[in-house]
């Protein structure tokens, strides 16, 4: 015998195709539940109590099932019912079908509540380190049944991942792309970091024209802050003195700490493990900065737990940004 589960348009039952030397027929799941209950309890009266239906209705369901299958499922022995050989063979299959159906129903209920699933997030490495590493435990307390999968990806890489549906959301500088919905966060400043002994800039900032003459330790061009810096250099008509490019901000910061150049970093980057002088990069007396956003593809509906992820992460980031501030600002705040 082989049982195949198919969808049925009714709300309370699913269609079951049963093949036992007969043509496939639609079978009401209620009849299967009745059959299993009678087989387990041995009497119609006990099964009726378990299923909370009347005995005549239950007897009709058993009769209809036997007629539909063309099989005798029970023999009466005294006041009880005993499975026939065919009924015994059918019982295991019916239990399996009902278990599978209940599992599907439970899974659908969980998905409807939106508190279980996989949350896929793309972010640059410095955002994962500085923001997500501390936010994820808080999110897990609220959604313990959601598994968060992180992908390390820069801004341009995130665009393709969002379009292909490989991730739910990306955290990056605003790309101004109308295809994506966004949650706007506080802006990210371009910062310059150098050894604490070096006098760089004035009152917590340095003009990009003066900065360009220093030996610079720059992030890879894939980083949004690097592209922002390059655009500011073109506007200022200056050629930066590039000493090293790297995908790792910590490589740049380690070199800057020992006086091997000035590192360019975003204000989302943590620097607390290093002894550095931090200044804000400006052009025309205005900070070189850009908006940070949480973005997702408008064409794809976010599950409820992903919507909650975006909202709670946005609220969290508004309270902690910027991660790194100019040294002079930090000292003044400390005195306050």
């Amino acid at each position: 015998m082989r049982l195949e589960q198919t969808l049925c348009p009714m709300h309370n039952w699913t269609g079951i195709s049963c093949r036992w030397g007969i043509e496939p027929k639609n079978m009401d799941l209620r009849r299967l539940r009745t059959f299993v209950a009678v087989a387990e309890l041995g009497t119609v009266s006990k099964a009726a109590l378990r299923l909370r239906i009347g005995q005549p209705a239950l007897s009709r369901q058993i009769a209809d099932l036997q007629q539909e299958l063309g099989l005798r499922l029970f023999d009466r022995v005294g006041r009880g019912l005993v499975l026939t050989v065919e009924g015994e063979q059918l019982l295991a299959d019916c239990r399996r079908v009902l278990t599978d159906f209940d599992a599907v129903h439970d899974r659908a209920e969980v998905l409807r509540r939106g508190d279980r699933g996989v949350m896929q997030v793309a972010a640059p490495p410095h955002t994962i380190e500085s923001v997500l590493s501390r936010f994820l435990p808080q999110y897990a307390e609220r959604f313990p049944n959601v598994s968060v999968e992180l992908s390390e990806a820069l801004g341009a890489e995130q665009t393709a991942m969002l379009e292909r549906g490989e991730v739910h959301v990306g955290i990056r500088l605003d790309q101004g792309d109308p295809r994506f919905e966004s949650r706007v966060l506080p802006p990210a400043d371009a910062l310059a970091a150098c050894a604490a002994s070096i006098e760089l800039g004035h009152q917590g900032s340095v003009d990009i024209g003066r900065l360009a003459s220093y030996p610079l330790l720059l992030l890879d061009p894939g980083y949004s802050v690097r592209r922002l810096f390059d655009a500011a250099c073109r506007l200022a008509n200056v050629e930066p003195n590039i000493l090293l490019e790297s995908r790792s901000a910590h490589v740049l910061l380690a070199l800057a700490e020992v006086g091997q150049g000035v590192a360019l970093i975003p204000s989302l980057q943590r620097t607390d493990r290093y002894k550095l002088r931090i200044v804000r990069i400006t052009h025309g007396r205005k900070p070189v900065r850009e908006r940070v956003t949480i973005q997702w593809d408008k064409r794809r509906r976010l599950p409820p737990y992903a919507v909650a992820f975006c909202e709670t992460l946005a609220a969290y980031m508004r309270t902690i940004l910027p991660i790194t501030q100019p040294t002079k600002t930090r000292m003044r705040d400390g005195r306050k």
Side-chain angles (χ1 to χ4, degrees), residues 117-139:
V118 178
M119 181 70 206
Q120 298 162 313
V121 183
H126 59 270
T127 304
I128 295 175
E129 176 199 15
S130 302
V131 178
L132 294 181
S133 64
R134 302 189 179 190
F135 168 75
L136 291 180
Q138 300 180 23
Y139 179 74

Side-chain angles (χ1 to χ4, degrees), residues 109-122:
E109 177 63 24
V110 167
L111 293 174
R112 188 162 51 249
R113 293 200 310 267
D115 61 358
R116 181 186 297 270
V118 178
M119 181 70 206
Q120 298 162 313
V121 183

